[in-house]
Amino acid sequence: MNIAITHHDDTLTVTFDGALDYTVSAQMESLINDLKAITAGKTVFDLAKVPRVDSVGLGMLHLAKDAILAAGTRLTLRGASGNVLRLFELTDSARCFDIE
């Protein structure tokens, strides 16, 4: 998994490239800690290049959301499609996240 972070104006964009699964849990925990130190009005997780999310990856997204919301920032998921979007719908997570 490659993760790129860009900060433009008041929006922090985190671009994921690769499967968001159990193999990246340590990387996601590190990302969550890093995001706590960055001030932004809006955080966007760009999932356009994520072909697959498993239950661990979905759990990590929920943990990230909780940490971001606790910091007073909005979180938007962008670019989810195919099986990734279907997972959000099947698990009712589509109601928990702002999805573009």
Side-chain angles (χ1 to χ4, degrees), residues 4 9 11-12 22 27 30 39 45 62-63 65 70 82 88 90:
D9 292 331
T11 302
L12 180 72
Y22 71 95
Q27 192 175 9
S30 177
T39 303
F45 281 3
H62 278 280
L63 289 174
K65 176 188 64 107
F88 291 128
L90 288 173

Side-chain angles (χ1 to χ4, degrees), residues 10-61:
D10 200 30
T11 302
L12 180 72
T13 303
V14 181
T15 304
F16 297 89
D17 188 354
L20 187 52
D21 58 19
Y22 71 95
T23 63
V24 298
S25 60
Q27 192 175 9
M28 283 296 293
E29 287 177 16
S30 177
L31 173 66
I32 292 167
N33 286 328
D34 291 346
L35 292 178
K36 290 177 185 178
I38 301 172
T39 303
K42 179 179 181 180
T43 300
V44 175
F45 281 3
D46 186 343
L47 304 176
K49 295 181 180 179
V50 175
R52 183 173 54 86
V53 176
D54 71 2
S55 60
V56 175
L58 182 59
M60 296 306 292
L61 287 173

Side-chain angles (χ1 to χ4, degrees), residues 7 11 14 77 82 92:
H7 196 183
T11 302
V14 181
L77 303 182
D92 216 19

